[in-house]
Amino acid sequence: MAKLVIQGGKRLQGEVKISGAKNSALPIIVAAALATEGECVLDNIPKDSDVGTICLILRSLGVELWFDQEGKLHVVGSTLNKYQAPYDLVRKMRASFYTAGLLLARMGRAEVPLPGGCAIGSRPVDFHIRGFSQMGADITIEHGFMKATCDKLIGTNYYINRSSVGTTMNLMIAATLAEGTTVLENCAKEPEVVDLAIFLNGMGAQIRGAGTDIIRIEGVEKLRGIEYTIIPDRIEAGTYMFAAAITGGDVLIKDIVIEHLRSPLSKIEEAGVVVEKGATEVRIIAPERLTAIDLETAPYPGFPTDLQQPLVACMTVADGTSVITENIFDRFRYVDELRRMGADIKVERETAIVRGVPQLTGAPVEVTDLRAGAALVIAGLAAAGTTEIYGLDIIDRGYERLEDKLRGLGADIKRVETHEGIDAFAQIETRV
Ligand code: EPZ
């Protein structure tokens, strides 16, 4: 186990390169196994632990995959030969439920553990399951697994209850090889959905409308392997934006798609930051103290829930009071940790009222979920004294080399091994 130790108060300066998007890479790696001809070669794959987990899950299903010397991931879908996803790996990550779409499309049979609740709420997969069922799959829920079979999935019209990234992607994966046409309505419009559709179309799928409310998928006989480059991670980019902002920094964030960050950029400008936009980069020039802003999270193109926590961290030291409403998940548990650092935050149902204080103070804190981890790092960068962040494995799920990149910007941050998890009884003597 390891923790992060941050000495706060350093102004961030310099350049940082953004990695490939985790939330694109996960479904795309799964979808790569739809190909029965040739191999997929995937570039800009972020080396975070969620991506590692999805690779291991696919390997357990028989899919051959490996990284080449340039860091590109090769996926050979034709070797897929099992339909049971292993609980010990799937339990680590909800995105592993994408294997259900893959297995139904390729094998006509899937046994995938139901993801449980997690630190950001109950997060069911009922929309996914209803979609598979409407496409003709015979589904039972037994012993914590979704067991589904079909001769072949059949195209259907399916209205998704509310905008859901995972449902849109899983059903898109499933429908590519279905018989006939699938029309998905009320689809999520996130850039990662569009990235998956472009990738699938490159493999030979017939998908139109990704990025709009209605996606139409004409099923095809088979898909082939292609080379593809994953889009940049807009949430990682946003995290560095807010890290720069809280430290009064001046940071150039490189290798991004600026259009994917419209809402976070406009909010950060409202908070007093000067934003200089280039085609694939953005310079963040922060004032000495940010101004408080109000905000509601919303599906894309609204402000992403994944950046709510980093933004709240910034607002804890802003001038004035912010009202932040979280509309997607139950994602305010981490505010207790920010309070331990001196933040003044009151939560009423899905709204946090954040009264800016002049300064946070470093403290030992615990990560509750991935983006909460990012928020605690951001708070630690600005706090007086030392912040120790426990639960680093959760941050490692979605950030590639976070502490290296921040150190490159002048932060005083290091990873230190801890003795968490040590057997307590081994340390207590036995007396006779
Ligand atoms: C994706 O989760 C992302 N994960 C999340 O990022 C992100 O926060 C979320 O989309 C929203 O943008 C990945 O892409 C791997 P949803 P997902 O289905 O697909 C409800 C991060 O930190 N819902 O769009 O699981 C759900 O509870 C992660 O990187 C159902 O009720 O989210 C939520 O309230 C965390 N039933 C809303 O819909 C369902 O069957 C939107 O969730 C599915 C969803």
Side-chain angles (χ1 to χ4, degrees):
M1 295 294 241
K3 65 181 174 185
L4 282 177
V5 180
I6 305 174
Q7 300 295 335
K10 298 273 188 300
R11 181 171 180 255
L12 297 191
Q13 271 177 301
E15 295 182 3
V16 61
K17 282 189 173 196
I18 297 308
S19 302
K22 165 182 83 84
N23 290 346
S24 257
L26 294 171
I28 285 179
I29 293 169
V30 173
L34 287 166
T36 43
E37 269 178 16
E39 61 172 28
C40 286
V41 182
L42 305 175
D43 201 0
N44 209 24
I45 293 284
K47 294 270 176 49
D48 53 51
S49 66
D50 272 6
V51 165
T53 302
I54 206 77
C55 288
L56 291 182
I57 291 171
L58 283 182
R59 204 168 68 178
S60 76
L61 296 170
V63 176
E64 271 180 34
L65 36 75
W66 67 92
F67 282 103
D68 66 23
Q69 284 178 331
E70 292 168 47
K72 294 181 186 174
L73 180 67
H74 295 241
V75 183
V76 184
S78 56
T79 57
L80 177 78
N81 59 10
K82 295 190 184 65
Y83 59 83
Q84 286 169 312
Y87 176 73
D88 60 333
L89 290 171
V90 170
R91 75 185 168 83
K92 295 187 180 176
M93 188 179 61
R94 291 176 49 81
S96 42
F97 205 65
Y98 292 135
T99 53
L102 163 73
L103 291 169
L104 277 173
R106 277 286 310 279
M107 319 266 294
R109 189 158 189 191
E111 292 190 8
V112 183
L114 290 174
C118 67
I120 59 173
S122 86
R123 299 182 78 193
V125 283
D126 49 332
F127 304 161
H128 304 232
I129 293 176
R130 214 172 302 139
F132 295 140
S133 162
Q134 211 167 300
M135 293 174 84
D138 192 2
I139 299 180
T140 53
I141 308 292
E142 270 174 38
H143 307 296
F145 277 68
M146 181 198 76
K147 297 186 177 177
T149 52
C150 60
D151 287 337
K152 196 169 169 48
L153 291 172
I154 310 289
T156 187
N157 274 34
Y158 181 60
Y159 182 90
I160 305 170
N161 253 3
R162 65 182 280 193
S163 173
S164 160
V165 174
T167 311
T168 308
M169 303 233 235
N170 217 347
L171 297 182
M172 237 161 66
I173 290 171
T176 49
L177 296 174
E179 200 175 300
T181 305
T182 303
V183 180
L184 302 177
E185 292 183 50
N186 195 28
C187 292
K189 300 192 267 284
E190 269 68 1
E192 294 76 18
V193 172
V194 178
D195 204 27
L196 175 64
I198 295 172
F199 170 65
L200 287 169
N201 282 343
M203 293 170 80
Q206 297 284 334
I207 302 173
R208 279 181 294 145
T212 72
D213 289 325
I214 300 181
I215 299 180
R216 197 181 172 86
I217 306 141
E218 313 279 347
V220 296
E221 283 288 305
K222 58 179 186 233
L223 297 170
R224 59 180 179 278
I226 56 163
E227 289 209 19
Y228 193 73
T229 302
I230 309 287
I231 55 168
D233 196 316
R234 64 195 166 98
I235 306 302
E236 188 197 19
T239 302
Y240 288 104
M241 273 165 43
F242 290 121
I246 201 171
T247 63
D250 181 348
V251 171
L252 186 64
I253 299 171
K254 299 181 76 157
D255 296 351
I256 59 166
V257 177
I258 198 97
E259 293 76 33
H260 295 170
L261 284 157
R262 275 209 196 106
S263 165
L265 283 171
S266 95
K267 291 315 276 187
I268 208 171
E269 276 183 307
E270 200 182 318
V273 170
V274 175
V275 169
E276 289 179 3
K277 296 176 196 160
T280 58
E281 58 189 32
V282 65
R283 185 173 166 197
I284 298 294
I285 308 164
E288 216 160 279
R289 190 167 189 201
L290 298 167
T291 308
I293 55 168
D294 295 341
L295 163 96
E296 282 201 29
T297 61
Y300 189 83
F303 190 92
T305 172
D306 294 345
L307 288 176
Q308 174 260 108
Q309 292 143 307
L311 177 100
V312 165
C314 286
M315 292 299 104
T316 60
V317 287
D319 186 11
T321 299
S322 313
V323 180
I324 313 283
T325 304
E326 170 58 64
N327 289 317
I328 313 292
F329 291 121
D330 170 13
R331 228 172 186 175
F332 279 133
R333 292 180 201 188
Y334 71 107
V335 303
D336 285 335
E337 301 301 302
L338 286 177
R339 284 190 191 118
R340 301 184 64 244
M341 298 176 73
D344 180 350
I345 307 176
K346 192 168 154 204
V347 176
E348 279 172 9
R349 296 167 69 88
E350 53 286 314
T351 298
I353 297 155
V354 189
R355 291 194 182 84
V357 295
Q359 171 94 72
L360 296 175
T361 51
V365 286
E366 176 86 33
V367 175
T368 51
D369 70 87
L370 172 57
R371 309 303 172 184
L376 294 175
V377 170
I378 289 169
L381 291 172
T386 309
T387 298
E388 291 184 356
I389 301 180
Y390 290 82
L392 185 47
D393 54 316
I394 301 179
I395 297 181
D396 288 338
R397 290 184 54 176
Y399 289 94
E400 184 177 3
R401 300 187 302 106
L402 176 79
E403 71 272 19
D404 291 347
K405 289 188 182 186
L406 285 171
R407 241 191 334 265
L409 295 171
D412 184 342
I413 179 169
K414 61 183 179 211
R415 180 181 288 255
V416 175
E417 289 307 313
T418 65
H419 300 290
E420 278 180 84
I422 262 182
D423 181 0
F425 292 109
Q427 296 183 57
I428 301 171
E429 62 188 303
T430 305
R431 289 186 184 170
V432 280

